[in-house]
Amino acid sequence: MPQFIPDTTYTRLLDDLAGAFMAAASSTHTDLRDKLAEALGAADVLPEVCRGDFDVT
């Protein structure tokens, strides 16, 4: 089942992912994986391992 996100979030995510690629491609000091993780985090897309950091009980 697809996950739907707001259009503005989707657009920002695409822009951030493209920017991450360009930053990593144009610099030897930039790690693409780190930049992609930042872009995903900015769109509130996190790995399952982070769930405990957000659970409020």
Side-chain angles (χ1 to χ4, degrees):
M1 181 70 176
Q3 299 295 314
F4 298 96
I5 58 176
D7 292 345
T8 54
T9 302
Y10 182 80
T11 299
R12 188 182 77 233
L13 177 57
L14 284 180
D15 292 344
D16 288 351
L17 291 173
F21 175 78
M22 292 306 294
S26 61
S27 173
T28 58
H29 303 295
T30 302
D31 182 62
L32 177 59
R33 186 176 176 88
D34 290 344
K35 288 295 189 180
L36 291 174
E38 289 175 16
L40 290 170
D44 290 331
V45 177
L46 301 169
E48 182 66 31
V49 71
C50 295
R51 184 179 295 274
D53 295 339
F54 296 91
D55 283 343
V56 178
T57 53

